[in-house]
Amino acid sequence: MPEGERGSLTARGLRKAFGDLLVLGGVDLAARPGEVLSVLGPSGCGKSTLLRLLAGFERPTSGEVLQDGEPVRGPSPLRGMVAQAGGLFPWLTLRDNLAVGPRAQGRSRAETTELVDGLLARTGLEEFAQSLPRSLSGGMRQRGSIAQVLACRPPVLLLDEPFAALDAQTRLRMHEWLGSLLRASPTTTVLVTHDVEEALLLGDRLALLSARPSTVVEELAVPFGPDRGRAVLSDPAFVALKSEVLDRVLRA
Ligand SMILES: Nc1ncnc2c1ncn2[C@@H]1O[C@H](COP(=O)(O)OP(=O)(O)O)[C@@H](O)[C@H]1O
Ligand SMILES: [Mg+2]
């Protein structure tokens, strides 16, 4: 398959029950190669569950996940996931955290150093390379967690509300940073969030989940350019769309 066409991820009729609790009631969605698909839904609707199924960490009750047409049957380096709390190892420096994946993939020391240096630069964390995660701010830790996963160069990146724990200003800076990073990369991203602004700032498209048992009730293209910075927040079209989408989330 040509490089440019790799990285599609499709969920077909995904259902997931925990005992009597039906969380996902038949989710259908498809992330196209290279796009950022925001999956928006109310708290408790099953977003984290959906992401774990997409990652292959859990098996659906029925339905299937396909990556580039191949069934997902378990975790794979083809899919990198950043959990809500991030994933840095507390006992490793940031640099060593970023090097874990590439080293495990068999990259040479020189190759790994080059990759990690590039990521430290793109995350603006060069001067913290030798720091332990506990001495980093929340925003830096989340940037580091995303960089750690990107270091494995997965064609598909799965993000679970990565900035939910941050204050509003830091979150906005993170959105600008991540938006430009993702739009400049060939990685396909599925971002789940309850935050309408986050979904619209980062997504090329938006899939809206209903409350439990959740299904995709609507999909829409996000009609704003790739260089969406904080200025878009005061664009009347953005304000109107945000309020319309919020209404739908509250009704879903
Ligand atoms: N492993 C599990 N066992 C039992 N119930 C679970 C499990 N994981 C999630 N749930 C339940 O599934 C529902 C959806 O959870 P979750 O996917 O975390 O929602 P969200 O991420 O949208 O807030 C919740 O009611 C939660 O308690
Ligand atoms: Mg969650």
Side-chain angles (χ1 to χ4, degrees):
M1 191 175 302
E3 186 73 16
E5 289 169 25
R6 287 192 50 194
S8 75
L9 192 70
T10 307
R12 282 202 201 133
L14 272 193
R15 290 164 56 87
K16 180 68 177 178
F18 296 107
D20 291 340
L21 181 73
L22 183 61
V23 175
L24 303 181
V27 171
D28 290 289
L29 51 82
R32 302 167 189 158
E35 78 171 351
V36 180
L37 176 65
S38 292
V39 179
L40 181 67
S43 285
C45 79
K47 297 181 297 297
S48 296
T49 302
L50 171 62
L51 218 56
R52 288 199 301 272
L53 294 177
L54 294 179
F57 295 160
E58 276 184 55
R59 301 290 298 147
T61 304
S62 63
E64 61 179 352
V65 178
L66 302 167
Q67 181 167 356
D68 296 327
E70 296 292 322
V72 165
R73 297 208 171 86
S76 153
L78 293 174
R79 292 173 299 282
M81 173 149 160
V82 181
Q84 245 160 311
L88 296 176
F89 299 111
W91 59 88
L92 293 181
T93 64
L94 185 59
R95 167 175 288 286
D96 288 344
N97 262 291
L98 267 51
V100 168
R103 294 295 286 160
Q105 288 176 330
R107 287 184 194 274
S108 70
R109 201 167 283 277
E111 236 182 335
T112 300
T113 302
E114 192 185 330
L115 192 62
V116 168
D117 283 344
L119 278 164
L120 285 169
R122 276 191 284 154
T123 45
L125 292 171
E126 289 140 306
E127 58 182 299
F128 300 96
Q130 301 306 331
S131 302
L132 289 173
R134 68 164 175 272
S135 61
L136 303 175
S137 71
M140 289 187 224
R141 270 201 297 275
Q142 284 308 75
R143 263 184 287 166
S145 298
I146 293 169
Q148 184 188 42
V149 169
L150 289 177
C152 301
R153 306 226 196 170
V156 170
L157 177 66
L158 304 168
L159 298 175
D160 191 353
E161 314 210 49
F163 307 128
L166 304 178
D167 67 80
Q169 286 82 27
T170 308
R171 194 159 60 231
L172 185 52
R173 276 204 294 276
M174 292 298 104
H175 288 153
E176 289 189 311
W177 167 76
L178 185 61
S180 53
L181 182 78
L182 293 180
R183 283 188 278 270
S185 96
T187 309
T188 307
T189 305
V190 180
L191 165 84
V192 303
T193 182
H194 71 277
D195 180 343
V196 178
E197 190 171 291
E198 176 165 274
L200 292 177
L201 274 174
L202 292 174
D204 297 310
R205 284 191 310 126
L206 182 74
L208 188 60
L209 293 177
S210 67
R212 263 192 344 252
S214 61
T215 56
V216 175
V217 288
E218 196 168 340
E219 286 187 52
L220 57 100
V222 179
F224 302 99
D227 299 319
R228 253 169 268 169
R230 73 192 74 168
V232 81
L233 293 178
S234 50
D235 178 336
F238 188 91
V239 175
L241 183 59
K242 186 178 154 185
S243 132
E244 195 183 316
V245 170
L246 182 60
D247 275 345
R248 290 186 212 171
V249 177
L250 295 174
R251 269 189 272 123

